[in-house]
Amino acid sequence: MTISYNWLSDYLPVKVEPERLSRILTSIGLEVESMEAFEEVKGGLQGLVIGEVLEAEQHPNADKLKLTKVTIGSAEPLQIVCGAPNVEAGQKVVVAPVGTTIYPTNGDPMTMKVAKIRSVESHGMICAEDEIGLGTSHAGIMILPADAIVGTPAMEFFKPYSDIIYEIGLTPNRADAMSHWGVARDVCAYLTHHDKKEAKAILPNPNLKPDNQSLKINVTIENEAACERYSGICLSGIEVKPSPKWMQERLKAIGVRPINNIVDITNYIQHETGQPLHAFDYDAIKGRQVFVKNLPEGTTFKTLDDKERKLHGEDLMICNAEGGMCIAGVFGGIESGVTPETKNVFLESAFFDPTTIRKTSFRHGLRTDAATRFEKGIDISNTVNVLKRAALLIKELAGGSIASDVIDIYPKPQPKKEVILKNQYLKKLSGKNYHSETVKGILQGLSFGIIKDSMDALSVEVPYHKRDVSLPADVVEEILRIDGLDNIEIPSAIKLTPSVEENYKAEGFKEKVANALVGLGFNEILTNSITNSKYFETQQEHTVKMLNNLSSELDVLRSAMLPTALEVIAFNNNRKNTDLRFFEFGKTYKTEGPGEYSEKNHLCLYLTGNLSEQSWKGKAVAADIYHLKGTVVSLFQLLGLKVAFEQGLDSPHFEGMLSGKVNGKPVVKLGKVATSVTSRFDVKQPVFFANFDWDVLLQEALAQKVKYREVSRYPAVERDLAFVVPKELPYEALSNGIQKLKLSKLQDVRLFDVFESEKLGAGKKSMAVNFTFLDEEKTLTDGEIDGWMKKIMTTLEKELGAEIRR
């Protein structure tokens, strides 16, 4: 929310210095995120002065230059070389003396110095309007009226507008502070409480009487749930023209572009009061009837931006006798808007249902200022007062006359909410003993009504603009923010109840795995679970769609982890960061139909680029599936689980996939991501991906019982064997064949070499395997080990056709 200091000061009964005002705003919950000076003319014309040209002669060394003598009220006239064709003696001009910095309309700032131009010294500059930011013309120097006083600072002569602009970080519940009136009300409540002197906001009190009844409009609300109140008034004989300078200056200061007097007045009133307005061309209202209703699903409507939109059945519309004129509370239509030819207007001030407006605004991607205010909830009691204020401004600035009574359709007037605040509850929640009169003073300053004041409780009536106040806790918050959180005493002792975490074991495993991965050189990433539906075009029926998506690109909950991670990889690659090891804990979401949703927890690993850089010791080592599989196996070992791998089913997302199971349950899938997938994200290097079903993995890990045993006092014995096997035989088959023997003393089996050569025979390869044997009760003998090795060789020769390589 943008607030103008000058504008806000109009509603304050006393002058508050900008710095103090900033502190007050932050203290009352309207946190000032920035406070910056605004200048209509950059630099504020500082240093520039009004001068008079005393002489203007031809430059001795240049045909297109003039040598002038200019007085700026100082003792000696300045000699200035000027290239403007219109400079003449006797003119009043704007002068930039030496040392002055000028800020051109287009260009960088420039500081005046003594300069030699064609061998003649020049002590400053006679300025054109574009050279000092007052316009765009460079046809010649600015010639001022003859009565301009020499020596007057240019900032006093032109009086450029300056202001101080506050950017306030509003929380979503503070719709009451989305206007200068609302902020002034809070500031006055603060001043009254802290300065011990009543300060009441100076708000306009419009007194409107119609000039005639020449224009008639009939208003009908068909959807009373979406439009609880609708007010309007007609004005005739207006003239659409530019707004006066003061209004344009204020709108520009808060970042609003002036358009014309009618549109500017509606914008001005919106930022003044928080109530959005809409002006219709009266003569474009067919049948002189206004209907507030819904149109059939799929109805086309062309908005002010000249775009044709298809309406949803829940979109609330402002219609005439023949069709739609405006998307209620969101955006106007191109056929009924105010144009330079408009002579009569119908002005609308209404209260629309916040939920309806928010849905429509997001549905059509129209995030207008009006929609932002309506969706947070405006003051329903203020529609008529604001309408009168706007009508009188239009009459003042656009001429014409008020041509109808105020139309006010309010089918079901809302009663004010009543809240009972007990003194004991106030003390408990605030930590402070408040005097009854102090509480009443703060609340009355915020426009709360006092219904009943008893010994132990206060019954208050909540003003309509405080839509977020409905509970005693809300009233306590209002008291605290005006009194100031800094005024709450810190107790000498604080009592705490220790919390008990139910799933501490699960979190412990998660931290254990994360620490292990960091130790292996991985970095944790966290990606948005809300992503783009284009990534899941083949899974649309199972994708969970967002009802109120933040943007067209963030419209679904992800059904897979890979796409959002590839975005991160692409982001890093584009910045020359190509050697990446990532891991992520996250969720995916799925639907099987209306109301049937499920979510699954994942642990994912991503590997791409090089594992080590090229150095004097060797070449760079590229990431591959073997390194990823080794990482996966180490995680299972960390959790005390044994995993069995098998070739996975064909997948369009992988080029070769492995599936890992624990106790027969699928736990992990890993492989190289298909090029067709990575290319969609403009990732040009191989990416290796492992996807753990974290829920199943955690279930199996939690089921494991930790057992401790002492380190064996007896030595382990290692033996190596080289097997010649068919080239297509995977090591997994060899490993599984060995595990089937269930040799209790066999502690570990490890592949340490793969060798291929024509000498081994066509279609053959050699795999060298290391075996580790250990008996924790005695020292193993050669005879025992030889027996086990023979059993291994016999089994593999028989079942896999493996030959022992001698």
Side-chain angles (χ1 to χ4, degrees):
M1 178 65 193
T2 306
I3 294 294
S4 156
Y5 174 76
N6 292 345
W7 197 344
L8 181 64
S9 297
D10 285 352
Y11 311 126
L12 300 179
V14 294
K15 181 176 177 61
V16 182
E17 292 302 317
E19 290 77 13
R20 187 191 179 202
L21 181 60
S22 176
R23 293 193 296 271
I24 291 174
L25 292 175
T26 298
S27 176
I28 61 180
L30 308 178
E31 183 181 359
V32 175
E33 296 179 341
S34 69
M35 172 183 166
E36 296 179 357
F38 171 83
E39 295 174 328
E40 181 188 17
V41 178
K42 194 172 182 182
L45 304 180
Q46 289 281 351
L48 297 172
V49 65
I50 307 302
E52 181 179 0
V53 181
L54 302 177
E55 299 176 9
E57 300 175 354
Q58 189 66 43
H59 191 290
N61 302 319
D63 295 337
K64 294 185 178 181
L65 298 177
K66 295 283 183 69
L67 187 59
T68 67
K69 295 284 187 181
V70 181
T71 180
I72 56 172
S74 55
E76 293 292 330
L78 302 177
Q79 178 175 278
I80 298 176
V81 177
C82 180
N86 61 332
V87 63
E88 293 180 4
Q91 294 172 336
K92 299 291 179 65
V93 294
V94 179
V95 180
V98 171
T100 301
T101 300
I102 61 172
Y103 296 84
T105 302
N106 297 304
D108 298 326
M110 181 170 56
T111 300
M112 296 295 104
K113 298 178 181 179
V114 177
K116 274 196 175 184
I117 303 175
R118 293 293 182 93
S119 303
V120 178
E121 282 191 351
S122 179
H123 295 261
M125 177 189 289
I126 304 174
C127 303
E129 65 177 42
D130 69 323
E131 292 171 332
I132 54 176
L134 287 176
T136 57
S137 174
H138 195 68
I141 59 170
M142 291 185 71
I143 300 174
L144 306 180
D147 59 357
I149 300 173
V150 173
T152 303
M155 61 184 301
E156 292 182 14
F157 182 84
F158 291 101
K159 294 182 173 59
Y161 183 76
S162 62
D163 202 344
I164 294 172
I165 302 300
Y166 301 94
E167 284 295 336
I168 295 174
L170 287 181
T171 51
N173 63 316
R174 293 304 311 277
D176 61 296
M178 293 189 73
S179 68
H180 287 77
W181 279 13
V183 173
R185 184 169 46 227
D186 274 12
V187 171
C188 287
Y190 179 94
L191 294 174
T192 299
H193 176 65
H194 289 274
D195 294 355
K196 309 304 179 186
K197 183 179 179 181
E198 184 179 8
K200 200 167 184 178
I202 305 169
L203 305 179
N205 185 22
N207 183 16
L208 180 143
K209 292 181 180 179
D211 298 308
N212 55 65
Q213 300 289 335
S214 60
L215 301 181
K216 301 292 184 182
I217 282 286
N218 184 46
V219 176
T220 304
I221 302 177
E222 294 188 9
N223 187 345
E224 294 181 0
C227 178
E228 297 180 40
R229 188 173 190 179
Y230 191 95
S231 308
I233 195 168
C234 299
L235 294 98
S236 63
I238 65 160
E239 181 186 357
V240 178
K241 57 185 179 180
S243 302
K245 189 173 184 291
W246 66 267
M247 180 173 284
Q248 291 194 37
E249 288 171 345
R250 288 198 168 177
L251 291 176
K252 287 177 183 177
I254 61 170
V256 177
R257 180 174 61 88
I259 298 174
N260 60 53
N261 52 356
I262 305 301
V263 175
D264 291 351
I265 287 169
T266 61
N267 285 331
Y268 183 86
I269 293 294
Q270 177 175 266
H271 287 274
E272 179 183 63
T273 68
Q275 170 71 52
L277 302 174
H278 190 76
F280 297 93
D281 188 325
Y282 175 87
D283 298 312
I285 302 176
K286 308 291 176 60
R288 303 298 181 257
Q289 291 180 303
V290 172
F291 297 93
V292 186
K293 63 180 183 178
N294 301 90
L295 293 176
E297 179 93 24
T299 302
T300 57
F301 178 70
K302 186 172 283 190
T303 47
L304 279 171
D305 55 2
D306 205 26
K307 290 184 180 179
E308 195 168 84
R309 304 176 188 271
K310 283 191 176 182
L311 299 177
H312 189 276
E314 295 181 2
D315 293 338
L316 187 67
M317 297 293 295
I318 309 300
C319 306
N320 57 32
E322 296 182 9
M325 298 190 297
C326 173
I327 302 177
V330 179
F331 209 40
I334 197 166
E335 294 182 0
S336 61
V338 172
T339 67
E341 290 73 39
T342 297
K343 296 300 179 187
N344 306 310
V345 295
F346 172 66
L347 194 61
E348 164 198 281
S349 176
F351 179 94
F352 300 118
D353 172 57
T355 303
T356 300
I357 299 304
R358 181 173 174 81
K359 286 182 177 180
T360 296
S361 173
F362 275 103
R363 196 178 288 129
H364 295 288
L366 294 168
R367 302 297 295 142
T368 59
D369 284 347
T372 302
R373 285 165 172 76
F374 277 124
E375 70 186 28
K376 285 179 170 59
I378 62 168
D379 184 353
I380 195 171
S381 68
N382 212 27
T383 59
V384 171
N385 286 336
V386 172
L387 186 69
K388 291 178 179 178
R389 164 84 169 138
L392 290 173
L393 263 179
I394 291 176
K395 182 179 178 181
E396 176 186 345
L397 304 181
S401 57
I402 298 171
S404 75
D405 290 318
V406 172
I407 302 162
D408 186 26
I409 312 297
Y410 196 4
K412 299 174 183 177
Q414 294 182 4
K416 288 184 176 180
K417 290 177 285 189
E418 182 180 338
V419 179
I420 298 174
L421 177 63
K422 293 184 178 180
N423 297 339
Q424 186 61 32
Y425 182 78
L426 173 59
K427 180 182 177 182
K428 177 184 176 182
L429 209 59
S430 68
K432 185 175 180 179
N433 273 318
Y434 281 101
H435 193 279
S436 174
E437 292 302 316
T438 300
V439 173
K440 287 193 291 183
I442 290 174
L443 293 177
Q444 287 174 330
L446 292 171
S447 302
F448 284 79
I450 307 300
I451 299 174
K452 184 179 179 182
D453 181 12
S454 62
M455 288 289 293
D456 61 348
L458 184 67
S459 179
V460 298
E461 191 177 54
V462 181
Y464 287 108
H465 62 263
K466 291 287 183 185
R467 292 181 56 83
D468 65 314
V469 176
S470 59
L471 302 171
D474 300 328
V475 179
V476 174
E477 181 187 357
E478 294 296 297
I479 295 168
L480 281 175
R481 69 183 185 82
I482 297 301
D483 183 42
L485 295 174
D486 292 342
N487 293 327
I488 304 298
E489 296 178 1
I490 299 176
S492 58
I494 299 176
K495 296 179 181 179
L496 295 175
T497 302
S499 62
V500 179
E501 195 172 345
E502 294 181 1
N503 63 337
Y504 69 94
K505 286 187 177 180
E507 290 300 317
F509 275 118
K510 187 175 181 180
E511 185 174 356
K512 188 176 183 180
V513 169
N515 287 336
L517 287 168
V518 170
L520 291 170
F522 283 76
N523 291 295
E524 185 172 10
I525 61 172
L526 181 64
T527 60
N528 195 349
S529 56
I530 304 174
T531 186
N532 199 321
S533 58
K534 71 179 182 181
Y535 299 150
F536 310 103
E537 292 170 350
T538 60
Q539 309 168 32
Q540 288 295 323
E541 68 274 13
H542 298 299
T543 302
V544 180
K545 298 177 176 62
M546 303 292 292
L547 293 178
N548 295 317
N549 47 298
L550 297 174
S551 70
S552 59
E553 294 182 351
L554 298 173
D555 57 345
V556 298
L557 290 171
R558 65 184 173 200
S559 56
M561 297 287 291
L562 184 58
T564 51
L566 286 174
E567 288 181 333
V568 176
I569 291 172
F571 180 87
N572 280 271
N573 286 354
N574 291 337
R575 287 154 182 80
K576 306 301 181 183
N577 189 18
T578 56
D579 301 334
L580 306 171
R581 281 182 254 190
F582 291 146
F583 74 94
E584 179 178 18
F585 292 96
K587 291 183 178 182
T588 57
Y589 306 84
K590 189 178 180 181
T591 179
E592 297 296 342
E596 297 181 20
Y597 301 101
S598 62
E599 60 183 55
K600 183 184 287 188
N601 290 289
H602 297 260
L603 165 62
C604 295
L605 311 182
Y606 311 94
L607 201 61
T608 185
N610 292 326
L611 299 174
S612 62
E613 297 179 352
Q614 182 175 347
S615 69
W616 64 271
K617 294 182 69 176
K619 295 182 179 179
V621 178
D624 55 24
I625 187 64
Y626 303 108
H627 187 87
L628 180 63
K629 183 184 175 185
T631 304
V632 169
V633 170
S634 69
L635 291 183
F636 281 111
Q637 291 173 344
L638 179 71
L639 299 175
L641 300 173
K642 289 186 177 181
V643 59
F645 289 100
E646 60 184 34
Q647 198 68 32
L649 299 175
D650 291 338
S651 168
H653 305 300
F654 288 96
E655 293 175 0
M657 184 177 73
L658 288 177
S659 176
K661 294 183 178 180
V662 174
N663 297 327
K665 299 178 182 177
V667 177
V668 64
K669 293 179 181 178
L670 64 149
K672 179 185 174 185
V673 181
T675 306
S676 59
V677 176
T678 55
S679 61
R680 289 187 63 186
F681 296 85
D682 200 27
V683 175
K684 298 179 176 63
Q685 61 190 43
V687 177
F688 300 92
F689 171 52
N691 184 7
F692 291 85
D693 187 328
W694 181 251
D695 294 322
V696 176
L697 181 64
L698 196 59
Q699 180 184 358
E700 293 298 320
L702 290 172
Q704 293 293 311
K705 292 185 178 180
V706 178
K707 295 180 181 179
Y708 297 91
R709 65 171 183 257
E710 63 178 333
V711 177
S712 175
R713 290 178 292 174
Y714 301 99
V717 179
E718 295 185 14
R719 292 285 180 87
D720 295 338
L721 275 180
F723 298 94
V724 178
V725 297
K727 192 174 182 178
E728 65 276 3
L729 185 75
Y731 168 70
E732 197 71 26
L734 206 68
S735 176
N736 290 340
I738 297 169
Q739 297 298 334
K740 286 179 183 178
L741 295 174
K742 297 183 178 179
L743 300 175
S744 60
K745 307 305 179 186
L746 181 60
Q747 296 291 307
D748 188 31
V749 180
R750 181 173 60 88
L751 176 70
F752 67 89
D753 185 47
V754 178
F755 173 70
E756 294 182 17
S757 172
E758 294 180 359
K759 296 178 181 180
L760 298 175
K764 298 288 186 178
K765 67 180 177 181
S766 170
M767 289 195 288
V769 183
N770 174 266
F771 300 88
T772 302
F773 297 93
L774 176 66
D775 190 331
E776 296 182 353
E777 297 179 355
K778 64 182 180 69
T779 302
L780 293 172
T781 65
D782 288 341
E784 289 174 316
I785 297 170
D786 290 341
W788 294 326
M789 293 299 291
K790 186 175 182 180
K791 194 173 183 178
I792 291 171
M793 288 186 286
T794 303
T795 301
L796 296 182
E797 285 175 354
K798 183 178 179 181
E799 294 187 3
L800 302 177
E803 300 175 10
I804 303 304
R805 185 179 170 201
R806 306 296 181 181

